[in-house]
Amino acid sequence: MLDLTYETPKPKVIAGAKHDWELVIGLEVHAQVASNAKLFSGASTTFGAEPNSNVAFVDAAMPGMLPVINEFCVAQAVRTGLGLKADINLWSAFDRKNYFYPDLPQGYQISQLYHPIVGEGEVLVELGDGTARLVRVERIHLEQDAGKSIHDMDPNMSFVDLNRTGVALMEIVSRPDIRGPEEAAAYVVKLRQIMQYLGTCDGNMQNGNLRADVNVSVCRPGDYEKYQETQDFSHLGTRCEIKNMNSMRFIQQAIEVEARRQIAIIEDGGEVVQETRLYDPDKGETRSMRSKEEAHDYRYFPCPDLLPLEIEQGWVDDIANDLPELPDEKKARFISDFGLSDYDASVLTAETAAAAFFEKVAEGRDGKLAANWVINELFGRLKKDEKEITESPVSPDQLGGIITLITKGDISGKIAKDLFEIVYTEGGDPAEIVEARGMKQVTDTGAIEAAVDQVIADNPAQVAKAKENPKLAGWFVGQVMKATGGKANPKAVNEIVAKKLAD
Amino acid sequence: MSDLNKLTLADARDKLRAKEITSVELTEACLSAVEGGKTLNAFVHDTPDLALEQAKAADATLAKGDAPSMCGLPIGIKDLFCTKGVASQAGSAILEGFKPEYESTVSQNLLDAGAVMLGKLNMDEFAMGSSNETSVYGDVVNPWKVDDRNLTPGGSSGGSASAVAADLCLAATGTDTGGSIRQPAAFTGIVGIKPTYGRCSRWGVVAFASSLDQAGPMTKTVRDAAIMLEAMCGHDAKDSTSVDMAVPDFEAALEGDIKGKTIGIPKEYRMDGMPDEIEALWSQGTEMLKDAGAKIVDITLPHTKYALPAYYVIAPAEASSNLARYDGVRYGHRAKLSQGDGITEMYEKTRAEGFGPEVQRRIMVGTYVLSAGFYDAYYNRARKVRTLIKKDFEDVFAQGVDAILTPATPSAAFGLGEMKDADPVQMYLNDVFTVTVNLAGLPGISVPAGLDKQGLPLGLQLIGKPFEEGELLQFAHTLERAAGFVAKPEKWW
């Protein structure tokens, strides 16, 4: 396998009024586990159901109801951990995080504070300019999502929808290894890509299935390196946590805005207060979520309703053996096996569906040619129609058929584009279409010779000129192509014209 | 036949199978006893129609033969168990009007075994109390009396104890978090067993302290306890702490011999200021087991003195979290709110109105011991103590001890209202002999063994090895026969 090696990117530097400042960023990504049932109940997780229709007794915290762990969700967390090359903890445990809110029926969230199921891992974040950052993942733990409070439906009342209550989340916590807004967004994109490959989270940010809490601090150039040497956080600035970001664009904006806010405070001689903040995209600012008086004491303690979660190495090994090829591996293979460029390989491996489509097209054919057709023609055409690859009217077999016709010399590149449009809009077998509509290149030398002879016979003056200046042969080729409606094989026409003119 | 309600489960079962009586007759006798026993305030939600319907069905099953183990036997269910369509309030105002749409696993197991449910039994609010004086339904009265003084039946399963002792039902379910089955059993002269943690499913039982709560039977005899426990317990996939182990034939286990078995007498249970009568009863019990062929050894359980404080950290900590769900949002009581009140006011007013003082006290204690800065000093230390207490027992069992004999309570039943102004810790001292068993997750049984000078029943406690309830019942059965306790409260109600 090809080894992907990259330069380390430079940290983002913001010039303050007095000094330069660098950014230090860590992310807590909340990824909804792709599972039909909730973490501790059999209730459905289908998005968009009638409010309060996907609610089991335990989700509504009815008296005496007890949680029972959903083994599939555990497997999904393990799968995610393995995908991030992380340590899997065979012994983990659930804790209760206690706080009151109407969309939290139990009065506590079951989470894993002290003993998470997944330990240290890593994510390679490529930035597309030949640089990449290896971001360390500290841990992944399983926890319950809360429900949804709706405050704007009635002037006097609030409503609660418990459909999301108890849905399984993976909280993926990174180390403070991210050094700029673009890196942060690229990290989330990469995590999402890996989880989509693994089938452990659909990554849909609009539905809230992937959210991020972003920790931002600033430090002077050189301080981060001191932190790296010692792992002593005192070299870094005080961080603020921006909660619940659900778009890549907002993540970048919020980081930039928050960093500038902190720099201004420090340069004015003030101190950054560690707190949770919200990003307001309309105003382009972050603001404090709660005051000190309301600071939560979550009173974490081990959940007595659940035994520690003990899993066996053999079970983990089975999951590991079933792991699909991951983005980095697939990209490396596309580069080495198909001779693709780094860029093309990245584009084609962004989503598993596109990669699978490409691989079917490229099977037994020229990889680079297949990549060009998939990226330029197919993706371009789909984008025009706002269609996903999974909705493509052209199947891999059909596109492959078109490419085969090109490489066999049956059609020219130009005809191939016309053919692609026909297949895209009307469907059908490319070879049959070419046959039925007479789009095939004429390779029958007899027919081409006849056409050439005719052009020569019709244009004696040109023949005379061409005999003195062989460059004029092109004019004859053009005439022959015209006479054959573009179907003559250009290579054959060239050869015959050259031969006849030389006679 | 008169006084059918006075039968034991075993006798009633045999008579039903011999077609000497019908379940409807038996149930009607109990229903009229329940009606006549209102003064005791034991039954708080009666279900006579349901009971008669179940009794008729039981009679039909009995007529066909091959009836399940408790077919046609009328029992009472502690209010802590959720019973489908029947009020289940855990003795609290905050669950006012709550009728679950589900049946707890334990009560369902009993119904599946053919038992007839007469109604729901009074208890301390959320099972927090040792005198049944914290209930929203009011105090339960012990059928045993001294002069004209009304006595406590103990708690928290006070309604269950009083109802069984007064023959309002043949048996009842209880729950035991720190002694809530064994202490009231001792105060009312009946048998109560708390099985090993994990034996009975907690699903559908309103939680007090999840790592300590266990359901168990409260019965007139040890044999009845064996019959009923077998029907109640068993693995339940809906409770992750329920143990996947086969349930033995507990009644058959009674017949064995205890010759050569070893009984440990822990010196740490000899408390300062313990009444002589309790001390004497304990010695008599020891002699009885010795006479039956058991070897008696003195043992030490060195961490016993830390058990009560550890218990009163762990149980309130878990309770403070378990009771957070009673917030007025989805079911039960919600306080009337004023204009401008928000979510916080809704919580504060609802919980202030819905929870009684003892429950509020424990929620506050629990919240405190889990809070940042105090967690390690209280909760974590209490957990360490718990581990040590568990190890004390493991060591003793590893040395060959088969069961441990202790007093069940430090005193006989006391007067209702007598402790009302006392320091709450005085009340907590009632659990001093029983909490260790919950902390260690072991089975414990209280067996009536004698009367004190005032004529009130006293109980002895036997503590067994984990999941050795069969052996424990056998010891208890031996003790019961030797003690020959047959006293009954004189009917005054």
Side-chain angles (χ1 to χ4, degrees):
Chain A
M1 199 175 84
L2 203 70
D3 189 23
L4 299 174
T5 46
Y6 298 92
E7 295 279 319
T8 303
K10 295 231 172 349
K12 164 109 178 173
V13 176
I14 295 179
K18 297 176 181 165
H19 314 283
D20 279 353
W21 296 88
E22 286 180 8
L23 274 60
V24 180
I25 300 156
L27 270 80
E28 291 164 24
V29 172
H30 299 262
Q32 180 178 324
V33 174
S35 160
N36 294 328
K38 296 182 179 181
L39 183 54
F40 296 113
S41 85
S44 164
T45 58
T46 314
F47 181 80
E50 274 290 295
N52 296 309
S53 60
N54 293 343
V55 186
F57 288 134
V58 66
D59 303 323
M62 300 304 279
M65 294 297 96
L66 298 171
V68 176
I69 187 82
N70 177 345
E71 185 181 321
F72 182 72
C73 293
V74 177
Q76 290 287 62
V78 168
R79 202 168 279 128
T80 304
L82 291 169
L84 304 186
K85 301 181 180 64
D87 304 329
I88 305 300
N89 295 323
L90 299 181
W91 193 98
S92 66
F94 289 96
D95 305 295
R96 290 185 184 175
K97 177 182 181 177
N98 296 281
Y99 66 94
F100 283 93
Y101 207 68
D103 61 23
L104 188 75
Q106 295 169 136
Y108 51 84
Q109 176 196 36
I110 303 178
S111 181
Q112 296 189 300
L113 175 70
Y114 298 110
H115 303 283
I117 184 158
V118 178
E120 299 262 352
E122 62 185 39
V123 180
L124 183 72
V125 182
E126 298 130 284
L127 296 168
D129 59 356
T131 67
R133 176 88 64 193
L134 195 64
V135 176
R136 294 171 300 161
V137 168
E138 183 187 322
R139 57 186 281 162
I140 304 176
H141 62 254
L142 277 168
E143 63 184 25
Q144 297 176 299
D145 205 347
K148 201 166 95 184
S149 292
I150 303 149
H151 300 296
D152 54 4
M153 264 172 73
D154 185 286
N156 298 314
M157 285 192 281
S158 287
F159 296 86
V160 177
D161 178 5
L162 299 181
N163 282 350
R164 203 183 256 285
T165 304
V167 165
L169 299 179
M170 293 177 281
E171 181 170 326
I172 304 165
V173 183
S174 86
R175 296 277 182 195
D177 290 355
I178 299 163
R179 305 302 313 282
E182 298 77 18
E183 282 183 36
Y187 167 78
V188 178
V189 168
K190 187 62 180 281
L191 263 188
R192 181 172 68 175
Q193 183 193 21
I194 292 170
M195 290 190 288
Q196 285 171 338
Y197 266 60
L198 295 166
T200 57
C201 172
D202 71 10
N204 188 327
M205 293 184 95
Q206 269 176 344
N207 292 355
N209 296 353
L210 192 74
R211 287 112 72 185
D213 297 342
V214 186
N215 286 283
V216 181
S217 69
V218 294
C219 65
R220 297 290 307 280
D223 285 348
Y224 188 81
E225 287 69 24
K226 286 182 201 155
Y227 153 73
Q228 277 185 312
E229 277 165 30
T230 58
Q231 293 294 308
D232 179 354
F233 286 101
S234 68
H235 294 293
L236 304 180
T238 304
R239 66 191 154 85
C240 287
E241 182 179 10
I242 313 162
K243 284 274 185 197
N244 241 345
M245 308 293 300
N246 63 356
S247 110
M248 304 294 180
R249 194 159 55 93
F250 291 163
I251 287 174
Q252 296 185 59
Q253 290 173 0
I255 290 170
E256 180 96 24
V257 162
E258 174 60 18
R260 289 186 186 281
R261 183 188 73 88
Q262 293 180 13
I263 291 166
I265 291 172
I266 301 167
E267 292 200 336
D268 278 355
E271 269 185 35
V272 174
V273 180
Q274 187 175 334
E275 61 181 358
T276 50
R277 301 180 68 85
L278 272 184
Y279 177 62
D280 182 340
D282 296 331
K283 292 188 180 157
E285 61 179 33
T286 67
R287 59 168 178 271
S288 183
M289 268 179 82
R290 54 178 85 96
S291 65
K292 264 186 188 166
E293 290 81 354
E294 290 168 10
H296 277 143
D297 179 351
Y298 291 120
R299 291 170 284 122
Y300 278 101
F301 77 107
C303 180
D305 284 331
L306 293 160
L307 298 173
L309 181 56
E310 292 178 76
I311 55 178
E312 282 165 17
Q313 187 59 49
W315 187 69
V316 175
D317 292 343
D318 288 346
I319 294 173
N321 293 334
D322 275 351
L323 230 50
E325 186 181 34
L326 290 166
D328 292 344
E329 299 161 13
K330 198 182 284 287
K331 184 178 160 184
R333 183 167 62 81
F334 279 14
I335 292 172
S336 72
D337 289 7
F338 298 113
L340 304 188
S341 67
D342 188 287
Y343 175 80
D344 282 358
S346 288
V347 172
L348 289 170
T349 56
E351 288 176 47
T352 45
F357 194 107
F358 163 75
E359 282 209 71
K360 273 190 210 148
V361 175
E363 199 184 332
R365 302 191 178 94
D366 180 317
K368 273 187 176 171
L369 187 60
N372 282 339
W373 273 87
V374 171
I375 294 171
N376 298 327
E377 302 307 322
L378 181 65
F379 286 0
R381 189 66 179 83
L382 290 172
K383 197 173 177 191
K384 202 169 135 195
D385 284 0
E386 295 182 343
K387 280 195 163 95
E388 296 294 324
I389 184 75
T390 47
E391 304 165 304
S392 170
V394 177
S395 73
D397 279 349
Q398 287 172 313
L399 184 56
I402 294 171
I403 292 168
T404 299
L405 290 170
I406 300 170
T407 40
K408 267 167 62 185
D410 284 356
I411 53 171
S412 65
K414 189 179 164 298
I415 294 282
K417 288 186 186 183
D418 298 339
L419 176 60
F420 174 80
E421 188 57 29
I422 293 167
V423 173
Y424 186 95
T425 47
E426 300 168 30
D429 177 52
E432 279 168 21
I433 294 168
V434 164
E435 202 61 54
R437 306 200 186 183
M439 295 165 79
K440 205 167 182 180
Q441 288 189 133
V442 179
T443 46
D444 171 2
T445 45
I448 296 172
E449 264 182 64
V452 174
D453 287 344
Q454 189 63 49
V455 173
I456 287 174
D458 290 351
N459 300 284
Q462 292 287 351
V463 172
K465 282 185 196 166
K467 280 189 187 279
E468 281 162 29
N469 180 6
K471 279 182 187 165
L472 291 175
W475 182 86
F476 287 90
V477 173
Q479 292 300 307
V480 173
M481 292 306 287
K482 205 170 174 182
T484 57
K487 289 178 294 181
N489 183 323
K491 196 167 158 247
V493 175
N494 268 319
E495 283 169 12
I496 293 167
V497 165
K499 186 167 149 265
K500 296 267 176 190
L501 289 175
D503 283 349
Chain B
M1 198 183 292
S2 64
D3 293 344
L4 290 180
N5 52 306
K6 291 184 177 167
L7 291 172
T8 62
L9 287 176
D11 288 346
R13 174 191 63 186
D14 296 345
K15 286 182 193 299
L16 284 169
R17 292 191 180 181
K19 312 277 192 300
E20 289 172 34
I21 57 169
T22 66
S23 175
V24 169
E25 288 165 1
L26 188 59
T27 302
E28 280 171 345
C30 288
L31 288 172
S32 86
V34 168
E35 207 49 52
K38 285 290 161 197
T39 329
L40 300 173
N41 201 23
F43 274 92
V44 287
H45 298 291
D46 301 352
T47 54
D49 296 342
L50 184 66
L52 286 169
E53 195 183 303
Q54 289 169 344
K56 275 178 204 153
D59 281 333
T61 309
L62 284 158
K64 279 186 270 175
D66 198 26
S69 68
M70 291 195 50
C71 195
L73 301 175
I75 59 169
I77 304 286
K78 189 178 182 181
D79 200 33
L80 202 65
F81 293 82
C82 288
T83 43
K84 192 171 182 176
V86 178
S88 306
Q89 274 186 245
S92 181
I94 208 153
L95 276 170
E96 201 177 274
F98 177 64
K99 288 184 180 173
E101 288 182 41
Y102 45 89
E103 185 78 33
S104 81
T105 299
V106 162
S107 53
Q108 186 62 53
N109 286 348
L110 288 165
L111 293 176
D112 291 347
V116 170
M117 182 175 90
L118 296 167
K120 302 298 283 289
L121 291 160
N122 204 343
M123 55 177 282
D124 276 304
E125 184 179 7
F126 282 104
M128 297 176 188
S130 305
S131 63
N132 218 124
E133 293 172 295
T134 70
S135 168
V136 69
Y137 311 116
D139 302 352
V140 178
V141 183
N142 192 333
W144 293 83
K145 224 170 179 170
V146 177
D147 306 325
D148 282 335
R149 268 197 316 149
N150 274 344
L151 303 178
T152 172
S156 67
S157 310
S160 304
S162 180
V164 174
D167 293 317
L168 308 187
C169 51
L170 272 51
T173 62
T175 63
D176 190 319
T177 304
S180 282
I181 286 175
R182 291 159 290 158
Q183 183 251 20
F187 276 13
T188 56
I190 65 167
V191 174
I193 179 168
K194 179 204 92 75
T196 315
Y197 185 80
R199 261 292 187 211
C200 282
S201 169
R202 293 182 298 112
W203 193 87
V205 184
V206 173
F208 162 13
S210 314
S211 74
L212 301 159
D213 297 343
Q214 265 295 293
M218 301 180 73
T219 57
K220 298 174 186 179
T221 65
V222 173
R223 180 175 298 278
D224 284 5
I227 294 167
M228 189 161 162
L229 178 61
E230 192 177 323
M232 288 168 76
C233 64
H235 178 242
D236 180 10
K238 291 185 287 189
D239 174 1
S240 309
T241 61
S242 152
V243 175
D244 193 359
M245 277 176 83
V247 178
D249 184 339
F250 291 132
E251 195 181 2
L254 298 179
E255 302 314 326
D257 195 336
I258 71 160
K259 272 199 188 70
K261 296 272 177 75
T262 305
I263 300 290
I265 309 294
K267 65 174 188 199
E268 289 80 6
Y269 284 62
R270 193 156 279 119
M271 299 273 174
D272 285 345
M274 192 158 80
D276 294 344
E277 290 164 300
I278 305 256
E279 180 97 42
L281 184 78
W282 192 9
S283 301
Q284 287 160 22
T286 309
E287 286 305 312
M288 289 172 200
L289 291 171
K290 193 176 172 186
D291 291 346
K295 188 177 146 202
I296 308 295
V297 294
D298 286 326
I299 58 166
T300 175
L301 298 165
H303 298 92
T304 301
K305 65 180 165 195
Y306 304 117
L308 202 63
Y311 173 84
Y312 276 98
V313 169
I314 291 169
E318 291 183 16
S320 72
S321 175
N322 282 335
L323 270 58
R325 66 188 56 200
Y326 307 107
D327 55 6
V329 175
R330 298 167 312 287
Y331 49 77
H333 178 74
R334 181 192 291 177
K336 278 208 169 59
L337 300 179
S338 311
Q339 193 68 34
D341 280 353
I343 287 166
T344 307
E345 288 77 12
M346 178 181 70
Y347 289 145
E348 288 176 355
K349 290 183 179 179
T350 297
R351 289 165 68 82
E353 290 174 12
F355 291 135
E358 183 59 29
V359 171
Q360 290 189 23
R361 176 180 298 119
R362 297 202 197 188
I363 289 173
M364 284 189 278
V365 168
T367 304
Y368 178 81
V369 298
L370 288 176
S371 60
F374 299 102
Y375 181 84
D376 284 328
Y378 292 102
Y379 186 74
N380 248 352
R381 268 185 107 185
R383 285 179 80 203
K384 284 177 194 159
V385 168
R386 183 177 189 173
T387 307
L388 292 172
I389 286 166
K390 203 168 170 222
K391 193 172 171 298
D392 281 354
F393 283 106
E394 284 165 2
D395 290 348
V396 163
F397 291 134
Q399 287 157 20
V401 168
D402 297 299
I404 297 159
L405 183 73
T406 78
T409 57
S411 73
F414 48 89
L416 282 168
E418 224 169 68
M419 303 276 280
K420 281 238 157 96
D421 299 322
D423 183 326
V425 174
Q426 286 302 116
M427 187 65 96
Y428 299 165
L429 285 171
N430 267 287
D431 305 329
V432 70
F433 298 134
T434 47
V435 291
T436 50
V437 175
N438 299 81
L439 288 170
L442 301 172
I445 187 167
S446 173
V447 181
L451 297 173
D452 73 355
K453 282 195 291 275
Q454 308 171 88
L456 293 177
L458 294 171
L460 287 173
Q461 172 179 238
L462 279 157
I463 303 166
K465 291 183 277 193
F467 301 105
E468 294 290 353
E469 287 87 354
E471 193 183 50
L472 182 66
L473 286 159
Q474 192 193 346
F475 284 122
H477 191 51
T478 307
L479 188 64
E480 180 185 49
R481 270 184 305 197
F485 183 91
V486 288
K488 282 286 209 178
E490 206 175 310
K491 189 168 183 302
W492 54 265
W493 56 90

